[in-house]
Amino acid sequence: VHLGESGGGLVPAGGSLTLSCAASGYSVSRVCMAWFRQAPGKGREGVAAIGSDGTTTYADSVKGRFTISKDNAKSTLYMNSLKPEDTGMYFCAAMYREWYGRACPMAADRYNAWGQGTQVTVSS
């Protein structure tokens, strides 16, 4: 299983970015996928997650600004109205285990496969 992120970059506050995570090696249609971020000196924070039925979960700090989507082979994170505090390394993650009926968790230790990360920097 391999996850690869793309789409990070430098953007001014108020701008937008779209991150993509391509999965290879297995289908992600029946598992949770999530995006996490890590700012320098801080722990890894769950940003958004999406389940097999399309149910989404968002961190309070990004609700109304970020949107997560998923298909059989990738997840996309649409980020609007970006703030300097959104700066960090963004990682996508996927579970190996199929997940139904409940919102996907936002805890990093529930996810098995991880991408290498893509840097997002929002200037003030």
Side-chain angles (χ1 to χ4, degrees), residues 7-11 15-19 77-80 82 119-122:
L10 173 65
V11 63
S16 299
L17 279 176
T18 298
L19 305 184
L77 185 68
Y78 303 92
M79 305 188 295
N80 298 311
L82 283 161
Q119 178 68 36
V120 171
T121 303
V122 184

Side-chain angles (χ1 to χ4, degrees), residues 1 10 15 21-22 24 26 30 32-33 48 62 64 71 73-74 77 89 93 106 115:
V1 176
L10 173 65
C21 174
S24 61
Y26 80 139
R30 299 180 180 180
C32 291
M33 289 193 75
V62 307
D71 63 22
K74 71 177 185 296
L77 185 68
M89 186 70 76
M106 296 272 272

